[in-house]
Amino acid sequence: MSILSLLLYVLAALHLLIGVPAMLAPGFVRTRLPPRYAEAVGERRQWRGFGMGVNSVGISLLVIASALGS
């Protein structure tokens, strides 16, 4: 496993760690953040979309890292 693939795995894990809670429990995540950050993204539906976007980046990074690792 190269250093690049390891770095991509770490970045993918970070994206999934952030994206899954934002997608599955947007209200909980929104209430835990300071108001200025919560208002920057918007309402629950927009938070769910934000979580899906972050997850898609994480999944893409996993695919790329696994292709580089093999």
Side-chain angles (χ1 to χ4, degrees), residues 22 26 29-30 33-51 54:
V29 173
R30 190 173 191 277
L33 291 174
R36 66 178 178 186
Y37 296 126
E39 292 170 1
V41 173
E43 298 299 321
R44 290 173 58 106
R45 176 181 286 167
Q46 293 166 330
W47 271 96
R48 188 160 284 140
F50 172 76
V54 172

